[in-house]
Amino acid sequence: MKTLFHRLAVAVLLLAGLAGQAIAAPHAPAPAAPGTAVHEPAAGRFLVASRSLQDPHFARTVVYLLQHDDKGTLGLVINRTLDITLGEAIPGTELPHLVESPLSYCGPVSVRHIIMLLRDDAAPSHAIHITDGIYASNNMDLLRELDAANKPAAELRLFAGHAGWSAGQLQRELDRDDWFIVPGDRSAVFDTTGSRLWERLIERLDPAGIFVRDRLPAAPRAGL
């Protein structure tokens, strides 16, 4: 079986194909190995861009990891929404309850492809359990089921594109301090209210502090 990385990165739904295609359920990712340190990448964790990361695709972003293994890494930027709805992206889509759902930009790879995240207490069909009741899918039949059930917006997000790293690439970026790794937060994954997630996380991980503009004297004056 192919991994989640291969199935979602290569066989995600084309927007143009959402009107009638369905794809077989992908294989679930392996859970983080026992003893995996909290600062190491794993499915269900957040990558938080450092202040120094200037890549326009990833500056000031928070990435939710779906897969990390020896074949590579797949994730979704969760703190950037697009000014477009599902209905605007796919005119004529027969999903009456979801037609006004906003799309989120989640990475520079395959930006015309959609991945959905949903949360549920029971495992939905054609979906992969990531962690903590969160599932990922690219299956049209499941999307129709969620529409028919009028799945609340707070429990479903639709992402255009994804973020991907080849084997070893993310580790090189971690080695040069481009990212912080923190445990994922279920409520934050589904928050589209503009809650300044990156700002809140980076202030905890790397406080801005107070800095003087010019260099201080080499030595302080005596008697202070």
Side-chain angles (χ1 to χ4, degrees):
M1 285 188 181
K2 293 183 178 180
T3 63
L4 167 65
F5 177 81
H6 286 297
R7 286 184 179 268
L8 286 184
V10 178
V12 289
L13 283 177
L14 281 171
L15 287 178
L18 270 173
Q21 287 186 323
I23 298 173
H27 181 60
T36 300
V38 295
H39 62 274
E40 295 179 1
R45 293 179 179 173
F46 285 164
L47 292 179
V48 182
S50 68
R51 296 183 189 276
S52 62
L53 183 56
Q54 298 300 310
D55 183 325
H57 295 297
F58 294 113
R60 301 170 67 88
T61 63
V62 179
V63 177
Y64 181 64
L65 292 180
L66 302 185
Q67 179 80 42
H68 177 76
D69 56 28
D70 58 0
K71 296 180 177 63
T73 305
L74 177 69
L76 306 176
V77 173
I78 63 168
N79 65 324
R80 287 184 178 178
T81 56
L82 295 169
D83 189 22
I84 187 172
T85 66
L86 179 62
E88 290 170 333
I90 318 169
T93 301
E94 296 183 2
L95 296 168
H97 294 115
L98 295 177
V99 70
E100 296 299 324
S101 297
L103 296 183
S104 295
Y105 168 86
C106 68
V109 183
S110 301
V111 293
R112 295 185 63 197
H113 298 177
I114 281 183
I115 296 174
M116 55 181 157
L117 285 184
L118 61 147
R119 56 181 175 182
D120 209 312
D121 293 331
S125 59
H126 309 299
I128 306 150
H129 184 228
I130 304 302
T131 187
D132 195 24
I134 298 177
Y135 298 83
S137 181
N138 55 5
N139 186 273
M140 185 59 202
D141 289 339
L142 177 57
L143 190 62
R144 290 194 184 98
E145 291 174 12
L146 297 173
D147 179 77
N150 199 9
K151 186 75 169 176
E155 297 179 357
L156 174 67
R157 287 190 68 179
L158 302 174
F159 296 88
H162 67 271
W165 292 263
S166 59
Q169 183 182 4
L170 178 59
Q171 186 57 54
R172 291 191 291 273
E173 295 182 13
L174 291 168
D175 290 344
R176 64 175 185 244
D177 296 326
D178 285 347
W179 301 96
F180 296 94
I181 300 175
V182 297
D185 180 87
R186 174 169 154 151
S187 60
V189 170
F190 294 89
D191 183 5
T192 60
T193 62
S195 60
R196 299 173 60 84
L197 177 61
W198 180 83
E199 288 83 355
R200 289 190 288 110
L201 289 174
I202 202 67
E203 278 302 315
R204 175 164 59 86
L205 296 165
D206 183 24
I210 303 172
F211 299 91
V212 295
R213 184 170 181 174
D214 299 311
R215 294 182 61 186
L216 292 173
R221 287 181 297 165
L224 294 180

